[in-house]
Amino acid sequence: MNSPTTVFQRDVAIKLSAYFSKKMNDLQVTQPDLYARIAEDYAYILQSIPNGETINMVGSELQYNWLSCLSEPATHYTKKDMTDLNEDDDTIIYSPRVDLAITPTVLTKKKKKRSLGVYRLPTDRSLFLSISQCDFIKEIIKRLREQSDANLRELELGEYRQLHNIRPVHLFGIEIENQTNPKHLMGDFLNVISLSKIPVVLFPEDKFDGCIKMLMFSKAINHIKDIPIFDTLRSALILKIDQFRDTMNEFLSREGLELIEVYEYR
C-alpha cells in the first residue's frame, strides 16, 4: 500500500508536468526567442548523450520533455566524477534521490522519463539557464522565495541565500520531510542543495518546528565556530507543504488545469 507521502508526490508530479507542458507550448507566443533558444539548447544537449541510452524523440515528444516533474528520479555519481584522471571508471559511489524534481527529461528505451541532468550536461550550453529565463519559472521562484523568506524572517533566521551550482541535475529539487532528527535533516538539505539549481525543502505543519531548531543549531555553529553551515543550508527554499501546494494550485488554476488534491502526507 502506498504511503500518503508517495501519493502526494505522484499527484504533484502528474499535475505539474501537465502545467509545464502547457507553459512550454505557450512560449511560442509569449517568448518566441526564448522558445527557439530552449529548442536549440535541448537539441544540442541530446547530442552529448551516449548512443543507445535513450530513444530518438520527434515532434511533440521533444517539447513535452523540455520540462517535467518527476517523483523520486534516479541518478548516480561514479568515481569518474571525482577527477578527470579516471574518465573510464564507472564504479558507482552514491545514488542520491530527491522526492520530486522539476527538470528537463529524456525518454529511456522503456519509455520512462529520466532527468536530463543525469548525463552531466556540457557546461558550454546551459539549458537550465535558458529555462530559468521563462517568465513563468521566474514567477514560481519569486512566489516560493517570498514564502520561504517570510518563514525565516518570522524566526529571525535571515533570508534565502542562493548558491551557484555549476552542474545541477535538476532545475528544482524538492525534499518532503517527515522527520525531525537534526542530523538526518542536515543530510537531506545537503542532498537537495547538491543536486538542484533551486533546492526546496517542504515540511508538514507538525514537523516544521524540528526544521527551525536544526537551522538555529546551524546558525549557532556559524557564530561560535565560524563554519558556514547555516549559510549553506539556507540556500534551500523552506516552506510548509500547505504553502507549496496552495501556491502551485494558483498557477494550475490560472491555466484551467487539475489541482493538486492530496492533503495527507505523513
Side-chain angles (χ1 to χ4, degrees), residues 16 20 67-70 73 98-104 115 128 131-132 136-145 160 168-175 192 195-200 237 244 248:
L16 293 190
F20 294 129
L67 192 61
S68 304
C69 186
L70 303 180
V98 293
D99 292 323
L100 288 161
I102 297 169
T103 181
S115 175
F128 285 115
I131 292 176
S132 66
F136 71 93
I137 292 295
K138 289 180 180 179
E139 187 176 5
I140 289 172
I141 295 172
K142 178 176 180 291
R143 289 291 304 281
L144 296 183
R145 176 170 180 172
Y160 168 71
V169 178
H170 313 303
L171 180 63
F172 291 82
I174 303 169
E175 290 279 23
V192 75
L195 295 177
S196 318
K197 181 175 176 63
I198 307 293
V200 181
L237 297 173
F244 174 80
M248 300 314 299

Side-chain angles (χ1 to χ4, degrees), residues 98-116:
V98 293
D99 292 323
L100 288 161
I102 297 169
T103 181
T105 55
V106 289
L107 292 179
T108 67
K109 290 295 186 180
K110 294 182 179 180
K111 282 278 191 175
K112 291 187 177 181
K113 286 190 174 187
R114 177 180 293 164
S115 175
L116 193 57

